[in-house]
Amino acid sequence: MSTSKAALKAAKGALDSHEYERVIENATKALKEDPQSYHANVFLGLALEKQNRNDESEKAYTAATAVKANDPLAWQGLISLYERQGGRMLDRYHDAAIRLAHLFMDVDDKTRCQTVVDKYTDLARKCGSRTQYKHSLDILLPGSGLYDYLEGRIPRPSHTYAKLCEIVEQDEKEKINHEIGQRRTRLGARIDQVTVEVKREVLQNSDLEALYQHAIDWTDDEEARRLYEEKLLQHAYDTLVVLPGPQKVSKRQEVIRLAQGIVILKHPFPLAWKITLEWHDVESIEELDVGLLREYVEFFPEDGLGKVLKGYLESEISMFPKEGPTAEDNDKNEAEASSMTAEDRLILMTDGLEDSPSSMLAHRIMGEYYLHLDEYESAAETARKGRRQAALETRMSGLPFQNIVDAVDLVLGTALVQHQAPRHHPEASSLFEGILARKPGNSSALVGIGLIFEEHEEFEKAMGFLQRALRHASSIRIQCEAAWCKALSGDYAIGCSELEECLPYLSATDPRTKTLKAQTLYRIGMCMWNLDDSKASRRDRNKAYARFISSLQADMNFAPSYTSLGIYYTDYAKDKSRARKCFQKAFELSSSEVVAAERLAQSFAKTSEWDLVKIVAQRVVESGKLRPPPGSKKKGISWPFAALGVVQLNNQDYQESIVSFQSALRISPKDYYSWVGLGESYQNSGRYIAATKAFEQAQELEQELGADVLGDTWFSKYMLANVKRELGEYDAAIAGYEEVLALRKKEYGVSIASLQTLIEAAWHNFELGFFGRAIQSVQNALNVAKDLSKWRSGAFSLWKSVGDLCSVYTYIQSYVDEFPFQDIHSLLKDDFDLESFNLLADFDDMDWAAFEASATGDSAASVLKCCSFAAILAQKRAISCCAHDPHARAVAWYNLGWAEHRAHVCQSGEISSGTPGPLRYLKAAVQCFKRAIELESGNSDFWNALGVVTTQLNPRVAQHSFVRSLYINDKNPRTWTNLGIFYLFEGDVQLANDAFTRAQSVDPDHAQAWLGQGLIAAQLGETGEARNLFTHAFEISNASATQIPRSYAFSMLDHLLSSPGASNDNASLLQPLLALRQLSKLNISDLPSSHIRSLFQERIGDLANVSQTLMSICSALEAEYETSESSETLARFAQAKADLSRCLLAEGNFDGAADNAETALDLSADDDQTGTARDKTRLSAHLSAGLARYYQGSMDRSIEMFKGALEETRGDADIICLLSQVLWAKGGDEERSIARDQLFQCIEKHPGHVGTTLLLGAIAVLDDDRDTIDAVVDDLQQLRSRDDLSAQQQRQLAQLLNAITALYPGDKDGSSAQTSDAATAVMLGPSQPYGWSQMAGLTDDAHPAAMAVLTAVRKAPPRGELSADDLSEAYAGTREGCDAQRSVMLAPWKPSGWNALSKVG
């Protein structure tokens, strides 16, 4: 023990000298001796603290407090240690500070006790968190144990609670924000749901309301108390909003209690007042405390609800007494007691509603006020918002607010009954029925349903509901409505009497009844109007008219009375001016006045004021009174939609007019004129199929309703004909026009349409290649034009059509002999100054005399010229008919320009080749197009036309014109094609190709662009590509294009000449032949095309037509040669004669063939004629003449011709073969010897020539020349392995070898040799039928015969070139009955098929 004391003494000395290591050493030594030494632990803790060994120091102090818990020294050391560490050990500091303060309190040392508390709270405020600071403030609150002892020395509880409230408020705010920020990023989280969940979690566990209550209880400051009361209510309300339904009850009661307390104290906290007013679920506003309402207005004059309440309390619908000096003043004149006008009041209340979008009461009041003002749309909109707000308040508070919802539903239902009636009647009826289910005696709901039935013209049901309403509530308004229902049901007398009984109870000075009085007077007037419908009664100004006037005296804004007065002035007083004013006033006041609107629209339409018609109709449509609800007896009103459709049709808004007419027809499906308008709209918008259906429906209604109801119905027939015309159904269109003209003979528009349709039909048939139909249409058009000219000769369209029908003859030249010159002559001459035809005579020399002179000739060329002249004169007369119409005049000059150009083209075709034609018509066309451009410079077609006619005259102008046309419209493929042709003429192939490519991109089906590219390819030597392009152009072109079939046919001819195998396929010859036949109808002077057509006809075996064609060509060429004496014409004449002789030879006309061939030889004998064409002509003539003489039996003449052919061809192998055959046929030994010699010489010069080898083999067999046969067989065996042999040559080889084998079998017997030869043929040509046929004839096996048929079928056209004879032979070899029949059918002239059939039979 002495050692311990010595150690403590040494530690105390070291502590005084700040030797803390010695202190630690001695204190530790003392504790070893006495572990319960209080002072040793204190000294150790202090020394360790000085050395910043805080944890060890805390253990030492704690051990000391355990030894002497009531000794303050160790606790002071702990507090000092904690203070040095700032806020790190603040929680332990809290416990130590309370313990030490209690020790000082026990010894009654207030100063030191307060010091401990102050230091702790100050450190917590500075260094601790808000939670730690809040925890430190707990020791300053009542109930902490120290508050009573230190009261007066520490802050007041109100101050402490204020700090605590601030801390908790901030903590909750941060926690809510932090949790929302974290949870909102979760998958599928919604911000509103997350916010509610977080607030519910925080606010439910909050002690802030208790702190607010303590602050209220302890504070002495009234303002502070009111502030905490507001915060308490707000916090409780916020908690109520986020609580789930079952937990809202107790909290809602608390909120209501707090709000009522604030209101009782008349503290102006808006939330408390709104809760008190808004949550008071009353059936009518009159049940609210008016004093409370006025106090709200006083406290919150700028609040939205306050503005609404202020306006309501001063309005005429308020049942509360007005504020004023005395009640007597209020009774005398309520209007004077009001502080604002009605307009100002409405503005104030409207502003208030905008400022209080969450107020149910404001929406309820405004809805009722809008109903009072008859602003049904605004009332309905406000009531809908009120319903939504009530539902929101129900979710937040848990209160049902059933009375408020019913009141708002009544407002909404009543507004919907009137607003756009009857559109919203189903919804209104549903609302009323819901209210009656809860409140069967609700008079407003009963009246609402009664009004709906009244609007639906179900008056018995309406009266039933109105009578029920009267039993529950006696109202003058309901009585008036019930009386009116009786009147509407047909009992006008009783209805009028009951309405008269209601009048004494109505005052015009009372703003609440003046409109009802005006309505009642109007209804009395309508009862009188309908009781006696005689003209005298209705005209009497003391009856209905007087009531209408009285109605307006009661209320100048009552619209129905104006409508009735308008009808009176229109139908009886005959004062249209007053009537129109009345209708305008009625419609201005109410868009529901449909009758007034209809009368206004009709009057505006009569004066073509279409904008006003549109305004009237659109407003009626927007009123919503047009369509009856489902099941209603009331008919819909369709005329506003029809009127809108007519206006939109006039304004060319076709899509909108379609919608309008469709809407009209949904309401009135049998509205004839809406069907017609719909069809016209469809037509103008390009929907012709739909237009056809619409007009057909209109015509069905014509038959159903009759002319007595509809009146004149020709217009629908006319429009249907127009649609058929647009669809290209010209026959139906023409029939329709004729039907209309039968009803209205001199209807100019229909006559012109019929004439133009006939012309369009002619052009259409012309493009399709139906030239006869086109001419027939033109002749019919001429008849219509003659009739029209008798009473409307000054019509531009008439003469334009006459010019077009004359032009048709210039395009279909094969019918020019049918040109009706006399009819055209009289038509152009009648009722016209012939001097006017001298227009542009300086350029084209075209006048009336020239036209008459052109008719003197009988030739086709003369008639063609007459047609061109007639077309020009007709277009000139068209110009004289449109002097006052710049656009029509421009078009007329444009049409005349093309007529002049057509005359130039037709005359150019008549000029002999090599002779330049006159350009007078072309120059005249230039002048025409220039004048058209002067009148309408923005027309791209005019510039394109100018470019076409100036291409030959002035290339610079032409290029400028094309470029200008494309600048105006670069989507025209014709202009691009013309530009390409222009570049092609100028030699710029690249630019030409670019232009054609651009034309193809604009319109891939524009055939002329493909023709242009074909011309480029031909110019570049790419014949295959050119042929493909020409073929494609021909396939997509119509019959009006002349150059396309010409180029196509010429390219195909070149292809056939360069590919001999292709000429054997007759199918490939049909299309170019059809093209040339079509071309011959269009251009009768195109001899080259006709000549080529004859060649194609010859190839397909049409010999009769070939001879006829070639004879006409020879005649034309002979006439041309007599005129021109051109060597080129002579060569063409000789060629035609040679071709004619060849065709006559094929026909068997050997005399004609020989004569024409010799003529051709004579014509081509001139040494000046040289070239391949002449050589071919002479060769053809020699061969034709030689064969003709041969078949005539003139062998010498035949041999002479063949010798001439040999001389022409310098020993051609084929000619030698022909000559040898003729020599052998002559039969003399000398001739046959010459034939052998010629063949041997030929085979030496042309080794491998098939024809020569075959002839030598045949002659060797006939001569029984074994050596020659052996040599020929070797050659034949070599030839049969060649791939370039035709089917005929292969068959001939097989037949000759088969014959030689049979006659000279050699070492084998005949049958074996033939079989071996057949097998060799099959091996060399397994795809050829001849070897298989030969094998089939030598064996009874069915397989070779089947293979022969299979290979023959595959080689037959169009897949091969096998003839019908060979295919028939293959079928005959199968020995089957069906195949024998096929053989006979394929070649009935072949005996093999008949033989096979007879064997089967």
Side-chain angles (χ1 to χ4, degrees), residues 515-526:
T515 302
L516 181 59
K517 182 173 184 178
Q519 184 185 61
T520 305
L521 287 168
Y522 161 74
R523 290 175 172 178
I524 293 171
M526 291 303 299

Side-chain angles (χ1 to χ4, degrees), residues 523-540:
R523 290 175 172 178
I524 293 171
M526 291 303 299
C527 290
M528 293 179 176
W529 185 273
N530 292 311
L531 275 172
D532 187 357
D533 59 356
S534 64
K535 184 174 292 187
S537 175
R538 291 188 172 182
R539 189 181 293 169
D540 189 352

Side-chain angles (χ1 to χ4, degrees), residues 649 654-655 657-658 661-662 665 672-700 702 715-729:
L649 196 58
Y654 302 122
Q655 295 301 324
S657 67
I658 289 172
F661 284 123
Q662 286 176 339
L665 289 169
Y672 169 79
Y673 295 103
S674 292
W675 281 111
V676 174
L678 179 62
E680 188 174 358
S681 300
Y682 277 135
Q683 178 193 359
N684 291 327
S685 61
R687 299 166 65 178
Y688 301 117
I689 301 300
T692 301
K693 294 180 180 179
F695 287 126
E696 289 175 349
Q697 183 66 34
Q699 292 187 348
E700 290 180 6
E702 290 176 12
F715 186 72
S716 64
K717 297 181 176 62
Y718 168 67
M719 293 303 296
L720 180 58
N722 287 341
V723 174
K724 296 295 185 182
R725 174 184 174 184
E726 295 291 346
L727 289 172
E729 300 176 15

Side-chain angles (χ1 to χ4, degrees), residues 480-556:
C480 292
E481 202 64 47
W484 178 239
C485 272
K486 290 182 180 179
L488 291 176
S489 64
D491 198 350
Y492 292 107
I494 297 177
C496 182
S497 175
E498 292 183 359
L499 287 170
E500 293 279 5
E501 293 175 0
C502 295
L503 276 179
Y505 301 99
L506 302 174
S507 172
T509 59
D510 187 351
R512 289 175 293 186
T513 61
K514 71 173 186 176
T515 302
L516 181 59
K517 182 173 184 178
Q519 184 185 61
T520 305
L521 287 168
Y522 161 74
R523 290 175 172 178
I524 293 171
M526 291 303 299
C527 290
M528 293 179 176
W529 185 273
N530 292 311
L531 275 172
D532 187 357
D533 59 356
S534 64
K535 184 174 292 187
S537 175
R538 291 188 172 182
R539 189 181 293 169
D540 189 352
R541 289 178 175 265
N542 294 321
K543 292 187 176 181
Y545 174 81
R547 298 303 186 275
F548 297 146
I549 295 297
S550 300
S551 172
L552 292 177
Q553 290 173 348
D555 186 358
M556 292 296 295

Side-chain angles (χ1 to χ4, degrees), residues 559 562-563 567 579-580 582-588 590-605 612-621 623 626 637 639-640 643:
Y562 285 107
T563 301
I567 296 173
R580 188 165 184 172
C582 289
F583 289 137
Q584 286 179 338
K585 184 65 175 178
F587 193 59
E588 287 174 3
S590 174
S591 60
S592 299
E593 292 302 308
V594 181
V595 176
E598 184 175 9
R599 297 285 186 116
L600 272 179
Q602 290 173 352
S603 65
F604 290 143
L612 296 178
V613 173
K614 181 179 180 180
I615 292 172
V616 171
Q618 188 65 46
R619 192 176 175 201
V620 176
V621 169
S623 70
L626 304 184
I637 302 171
W639 70 262

